[in-house]
Amino acid sequence: MTVPAPSTAGAPAGAPPTSASLTVPSRVTAREPQPVDPAARIVVIGAGVVGAALADELVSRGCTDVTVVDQGPLYKTGGSSSHAPGFVFQTNGSRIMCQLAQRTLDKLDGLELDGRKLLDRVGGIEIATTDGQLQELRRRYGYARAWGVPAELIGPERVAELWPDLDVSEIIGALHTPTDGVVFSSRAVEYQAKRAEAGGAQFHALTRVVDVESADARVTGVIVEDAETGENRRTLPADVVVATGGIWGHLLGKLGGLRLPMHPMEHGFAWTAPVPALPGTAPDGTALGDDQAGRPMVRHQGSGLYFREFGDRIGIGAYEHRPIPVAPEDLTDTAHLLETGQEPAKRAFTVEDFEFCRSEVARVLPAVADLPLEDEFNGVFSFTPDGGPMLGPSPQLEGFWAAQAIWVTQSAGCAQVLADWIVSGNPGLDTHELDFARFDPALLSDAWIRGRAAEAYDEVYDVSFSHQSTLVTRGLKTSPFHTRILDAGGYMAEANGWERALWHAGNAALFDDPEFCSRPVKAFGEAARSGFALDDPALSEDLSAPVPVAVPRRDAWDQANWSPIAAAEAWATRNRVAAYDMSSLTRYRVRGAGAKEFLERLNSNKVGKKPGAVTYSLMLDENGGILSDITVAVLGEGDYFIGANGPLDLDRLSRLLPEDGSVVIDDITTSTCCIGLWGPHARDVLSPLTEGDISHEGLRYFRTARIRVAGVPVLALRVSYVGELGWELYTEAAHGLRLWDAIFESGAEYGIIPAGRSAFSSLRLEKGYRSWGSDMTREDTPEDSGLGFAVRMEKDGGFLGQEALAAQPSRGRRLVAFGMRMDAGRPEAGSPVFAAGAGSAARLGAEGDAVGWVTSADFGYVTGQVIGLAWVPSELSEPGTELGIMRFGRVHTAEVLAEPVYDAGMARIRR
């Protein structure tokens, strides 16, 4: 809906706009979900592998009135669960996705239905036939070590031992994960459903959901009818409704006011005829059932395929074919299933799409080369823009939840998370990668959803690189400076729809600048403490001294989406002045008579200060975990400017608004723009253009003022995420281009440049600044995250999460800065961390368990070392502690650093 612009009467001249974004198709109107009474009437739509697991989890948590309905027959309903091959590879670059897979396997392990297992932990093998593929497996090996998945890198000889019939002549290495397994999805559905029924849940087959009833924007019931005849329409009373409809999720979500960015896609699958070479037995000699495997599942990432034994046959799945989207409206229904026996999630096999994978399987498994295919079909699965599930409560209809786009791999794990979320209000782990509110509603066009789903399918087995961007529907959000950035040779990446430059090709000229100065990579460990160690310019107290940068070699892995020009842009920021397009920062205006009380209650720091104050603060959950970090600027009485992290913040803030209308939130992100102007000469550039006092005394650090720059009304925040003098300069989008051009004209004599996100990332890590969502989440407390300074435990009126923090300020681990000597490359987020102890880091990397993981890392161009942040046990958090950090299977020595590494006295910012 369109939100009318609020009044600006009485606002001082130059105030940023207060109108809400008109591009948002709907606003959050539902309240923050509260824990559900165990006696509440809960209706689950969908009896597949997620719906059955959810019913089981709800009953186990004491829920006494759970009803599950499905349009198909029980317990093989015709959705994706009915045909899913059940491959569960636990290893994932995302810690949360790995945990969900681990939870799924742990729940089903050892369970049987009618004497048949729900899960076979046959293990998995991922093979590599090129050096690039092997390097990717080394990276995945690191993820496995970080997240506690047993794994080993093996050679072709060991592959041949595990799979005697494979031709290993082209295989140069593999990743073996012995605890991965095959889930027999139909049996898993039936077992969990029957256990839920034994606990009091009811399951209704052949029952189609027609609509959801509500009163006062809250769920009251579900209207259903007989799926076979379309008759006997009736209402099932409900206090909570959960859509777990799999491939029908997009359509079901609409019943709860949701527009879920998910789309059904076809996926080729087939079995071979019986393979004479297969023994048909498990390693212990017992005969295999027709759906069982005795050997590990095989994934050939380079060819986009997977296969495993099905008794004496081989089942093959193909991702290396064109994306085939299925319009949700074109999915067949139960009547068609009952009439033809054709399951809705099985569609006609497209032979031409399967040929490549078939031939590639034959290369590594010659025994199937001349065998015909049997029972082939194109299975339908749901794909999302980022590959993650869709969980959470509806923003429009209270009591309506969704658990969609979930594959067998994460099925039981997601069910556990959602059951905890519904029953207790606490999902038990970080959900920012799972919550469907992570997507900006303004992006969710049909073309965007379909295009991103197709891209996600195409890239399922592709190697992903840092800063890798979508190629779909680019240019949805651009700042007023976009054309200027392109003129400077901006190398663009996408984030939440925004176009952002990583670096600018035009800045390569800085390497030829007579003043450009470089330094060697910093000595580290014992070498850094020797008498031959170079002085560190980052620690110099002489603010006029040149600050050199180290320019690392281009690592083969990092050459994608990285350029040494980032080092030049970092140099210009530290020595001269640079302008960063910060328009993609999420920003809101919170105003009204109740705004101060509202924000104080939700923030760990005191934010309701005098006009002009700027405060860094945290928003916590009831358990003291960090839901977001925000910047709050006081514009006037009951008028606040909020710098936030994204759509999840707006969703939560909107749900918690007072019902009396005393607080209004305006999303002003797309109607405004921002320039980050930072560097020693930032004031020299801005002063001649400015009406207003921007001296150090007139506008101190962490203060804000309304000024005019080149005649443009600007809200200037004296903050710096890169650790240099400067401001975030906000204005209306209509004024943005004039502001940019005036700043660059004034800055020409000081060598001003546009700088990008690559330099920005490095500079913020040198300064020790955290990034929510990667460095800390709701699983972490402020003290553990190094953000205890943002908490005022004695604050009047208290704040959400205060009692939990008082009871448990620490959870036994710490986020620490580390440094390490690497002439090229850097460890990625998710790289495992080892305790060096008395032994070498390399030995412990091979033999010991990981004690933590890297959250962010980059080359510190100014400090001359790889620098990053990592979670480690509290006892390993003291500066000087030696750690081992794995990159591509090799463990490098690292050291815990005192923070911040750069300009600890803050002299460069406060001048």
Side-chain angles (χ1 to χ4, degrees):
M1 63 181 178
T2 299
V3 181
S7 170
T8 58
T18 60
S19 60
S21 171
L22 301 182
T23 60
V24 178
S26 60
R27 302 292 294 221
V28 175
T29 57
R31 309 300 300 168
E32 185 77 355
Q34 298 301 308
V36 169
D37 188 306
R41 299 166 299 183
I42 303 174
V43 175
V44 178
I45 307 173
V49 71
V50 178
L54 178 60
D56 184 39
E57 296 294 336
L58 290 170
V59 168
S60 73
R61 286 160 177 75
C63 295
T64 58
D65 194 343
V66 178
T67 302
V68 183
V69 297
D70 198 292
Q71 64 179 340
L74 297 178
Y75 294 95
K76 195 170 182 179
T77 63
S80 300
S81 303
S82 301
H83 69 72
F87 286 66
V88 177
F89 285 86
Q90 301 163 85
T91 306
N92 195 293
S94 161
R95 173 172 166 266
I96 296 301
M97 295 298 284
C98 183
Q99 282 185 317
L100 294 173
Q102 289 170 314
R103 286 188 178 199
T104 297
L105 293 186
D106 289 345
K107 177 181 180 179
L108 301 179
D109 207 359
L111 301 180
E112 294 185 353
L113 178 69
D114 299 329
R116 303 178 73 189
K117 295 180 179 179
L118 307 188
L119 163 68
D120 259 344
R121 287 197 187 252
V122 295
I125 297 175
E126 301 180 58
I127 62 174
T129 58
T130 68
D131 290 338
Q133 292 166 21
L134 186 58
Q135 194 76 322
E136 165 66 2
L137 293 186
R138 293 187 180 114
R139 176 166 75 159
R140 291 177 59 77
Y141 172 67
Y143 294 148
R145 297 294 299 276
W147 314 142
V149 178
E152 58 177 341
L153 290 167
I154 60 177
E157 298 82 6
R158 177 61 175 151
V159 173
E161 291 176 7
L162 293 168
W163 243 102
D165 297 300
L166 290 186
D167 180 352
V168 298
S169 61
E170 294 185 16
I171 295 175
I172 61 174
L175 177 64
H176 179 218
T177 45
T179 63
D180 286 342
V182 175
V183 171
F184 304 101
S185 53
S186 292
R187 292 206 290 275
V189 168
E190 185 173 354
Y191 180 94
Q192 293 176 97
K194 286 184 173 179
R195 188 162 68 177
E197 287 181 301
Q202 299 183 49
F203 279 69
H204 298 292
L206 303 177
T207 304
R208 179 186 293 115
V209 172
V210 177
D211 205 351
V212 172
E213 287 187 341
S214 62
D216 298 324
R218 179 166 189 84
V219 163
T220 61
V222 178
I223 302 174
V224 299
E225 65 183 16
D226 293 344
E228 188 173 3
T229 64
E231 299 175 352
N232 191 23
R233 186 163 293 194
R234 58 205 183 274
T235 298
L236 303 177
D239 304 302
V240 174
V241 174
V242 189
T244 65
I247 57 177
W248 292 274
H250 184 74
L251 300 174
L252 287 175
K254 293 180 179 179
L255 301 180
L258 300 176
R259 184 167 179 76
L260 296 176
M262 55 180 288
H263 204 287
M265 303 290 297
E266 294 188 25
H267 168 63
F269 194 88
W271 286 264
T272 67
V275 184
L278 292 181
T281 59
D284 63 3
T286 59
L288 296 176
D290 59 8
D291 60 354
Q292 287 186 294
R295 303 174 185 182
M297 308 170 291
V298 178
R299 181 154 64 174
H300 189 351
Q301 191 151 310
S303 296
L305 62 87
Y306 58 88
F307 62 88
R308 73 168 177 90
E309 291 172 302
F310 280 77
D312 62 355
R313 300 194 296 170
I314 295 293
I316 308 165
Y319 279 110
E320 198 62 36
H321 64 69
R322 64 188 172 99
I324 310 174
V326 181
E329 298 80 8
D330 291 343
L331 294 168
T332 58
D333 58 13
T334 302
H336 183 267
L337 168 63
L338 296 176
E339 180 181 347
T340 65
Q342 183 67 39
E343 298 176 5
K346 286 185 175 181
R347 296 173 70 87
F349 186 65
T350 51
V351 178
E352 64 280 7
D353 292 310
F354 203 78
E355 280 305 308
F356 172 79
C357 284
R358 179 179 179 175
S359 63
E360 288 296 292
V361 171
R363 289 180 62 187
V364 295
L365 187 59
V368 306
D370 299 320
L371 296 177
L373 298 178
E374 299 178 345
D375 304 323
E376 58 267 39
F377 64 94
N378 282 5
V380 182
F381 296 91
S382 293
F383 283 77
T384 63
D386 59 4
M390 295 285 167
L391 303 183
S394 169
Q396 302 295 324
L397 185 61
E398 290 188 44
F400 189 96
W401 295 71
Q404 296 292 168
I406 301 167
W407 293 5
V408 171
T409 301
Q410 282 85 25
S411 57
C414 282
Q416 291 174 357
V417 169
L418 196 66
D420 284 336
W421 202 348
I422 292 171
V423 173
S424 71
N426 178 16
L429 50 69
D430 174 48
T431 56
H432 88 273
E433 296 179 48
L434 314 176
D435 194 326
F436 53 73
R438 66 190 183 270
F439 296 103
D440 183 348
L443 300 178
L444 307 185
S445 68
D446 288 342
W448 187 86
I449 293 171
R450 183 175 58 253
R452 288 295 298 268
E455 183 179 58
Y457 182 90
D458 192 47
E459 295 178 349
V460 165
Y461 273 15
D462 287 358
V463 176
S464 61
F465 297 93
S466 298
H467 302 295
Q468 183 168 314
S469 287
T470 177
L471 300 177
V472 174
T473 323
R474 291 292 294 267
L476 281 172
K477 300 179 188 177
T478 58
S479 77
F481 329 127
H482 185 61
T483 55
R484 297 293 189 263
I485 290 169
L486 292 180
D487 290 343
Y491 184 92
M492 309 306 292
E494 181 268 353
N496 195 30
W498 284 97
E499 295 293 319
R500 306 191 307 187
L502 296 178
W503 67 84
H504 304 76
N507 289 331
L510 289 170
F511 291 121
D512 298 321
D513 192 299
E515 295 183 353
F516 181 81
C517 51
S518 61
R519 58 165 293 176
V521 173
K522 182 179 179 179
F524 202 72
E526 288 300 322
R529 290 182 279 275
S530 73
F532 301 100
L534 296 174
D535 291 336
D536 192 338
L539 304 178
S540 173
E541 296 182 1
D542 181 3
L543 299 186
S544 64
V547 179
V549 296
V551 183
R553 292 185 296 107
R554 185 191 295 265
D555 180 90
W557 189 265
D558 290 325
Q559 65 183 346
N561 307 314
W562 182 82
S563 168
I565 294 173
E569 294 183 353
W571 174 82
T573 305
R574 294 287 192 229
N575 290 277
R576 294 177 174 175
V577 60
Y580 291 77
D581 180 3
M582 303 300 292
S583 298
S584 62
L585 293 176
T586 301
R587 45 199 172 272
Y588 311 126
R589 194 155 184 185
V590 179
R591 56 193 174 81
K596 178 179 178 180
E597 181 182 359
F598 172 69
L599 290 174
E600 288 286 19
R601 175 61 182 160
L602 295 181
N603 278 276
S604 64
N605 213 340
K606 182 174 176 56
V607 297
K609 302 175 182 177
K610 294 180 180 179
V614 179
T615 305
Y616 175 81
S617 185
L618 306 172
M619 294 195 297
L620 310 177
D621 66 8
E622 289 84 351
N623 297 305
I626 303 173
L627 290 176
S628 188
D629 64 337
I630 66 173
T631 302
V632 182
V634 186
L635 303 181
E637 187 67 29
D639 193 358
Y640 300 85
F641 180 88
I642 309 294
N645 283 298
L648 286 169
D649 288 330
L650 183 59
D651 179 86
R652 182 165 183 266
L653 288 170
S654 299
R655 290 175 182 275
L656 294 171
L657 284 173
E659 295 187 34
D660 61 7
S662 62
V663 182
V664 175
I665 299 177
D666 302 318
D667 183 352
I668 60 173
T669 306
T670 53
S671 60
T672 56
C673 57
C674 178
I675 299 173
L677 183 67
W678 295 305
H681 289 294
R683 187 175 285 118
D684 298 324
V685 172
L686 204 59
S687 291
L689 304 174
T690 300
E691 298 174 23
D693 188 355
I694 62 167
S695 67
H696 180 60
E697 294 73 21
L699 184 55
R700 289 190 173 276
Y701 187 56
F702 261 74
R703 298 285 296 175
T704 185
R706 291 183 172 98
I707 61 177
R708 286 189 181 269
V709 179
V712 172
V714 168
L715 181 70
L717 271 64
R718 178 86 186 274
V719 296
S720 175
Y721 206 56
V722 300
E724 296 293 340
L725 167 69
W727 302 266
E728 290 178 359
L729 304 173
Y730 295 91
T731 190
E732 297 180 52
H735 299 308
L737 190 56
R738 175 174 173 79
L739 180 64
W740 181 274
D741 287 346
I743 286 173
F744 269 79
E745 183 178 352
S746 177
E749 65 176 292
Y750 302 102
I752 191 172
I753 65 157
R757 305 298 293 193
S758 292
F760 183 89
S761 171
S762 171
L763 297 174
R764 73 98 177 170
L765 283 171
E766 289 183 326
K767 196 59 183 167
Y769 294 144
R770 275 65 170 141
S771 176
W772 182 85
S774 55
D775 297 324
M776 71 284 190
T777 69
R778 73 182 301 159
E779 297 184 21
D780 309 308
T781 68
E783 190 67 31
D784 290 344
S785 304
L787 300 173
F789 66 87
V791 178
R792 294 291 179 268
M793 292 297 290
E794 71 285 356
K795 189 172 72 167
D796 292 342
F799 57 88
L800 192 65
Q802 182 180 28
E803 293 182 3
L805 283 188
Q808 188 182 13
S810 173
R811 297 175 182 175
R813 64 188 188 198
R814 291 288 190 274
L815 185 65
V816 300
F818 67 84
M820 56 195 298
R821 169 78 183 260
M822 294 183 71
D823 294 331
R826 62 193 186 279
E828 296 182 286
S831 297
V833 178
F834 302 92
S840 71
R843 181 182 64 78
L844 285 170
E847 301 173 5
D849 292 334
V851 297
W853 64 92
V854 173
T855 63
S856 299
D858 209 331
F859 193 89
Y861 303 114
V862 174
T863 54
Q865 60 189 308
V866 168
I867 192 167
L869 297 169
W871 282 104
V872 299
S874 299
E875 59 270 20
L876 298 178
S877 63
E878 286 298 314
T881 301
E882 184 178 327
L883 303 172
I885 296 179
M886 181 178 286
R887 182 173 188 259
F888 297 132
R890 178 186 173 191
V891 178
H892 303 259
T893 298
E895 184 177 303
V896 176
L897 304 177
E899 295 189 80
V901 178
Y902 178 78
D903 188 28
M906 301 290 284
R908 296 181 181 274
I909 290 180
R910 294 173 173 165
R911 57 175 166 172

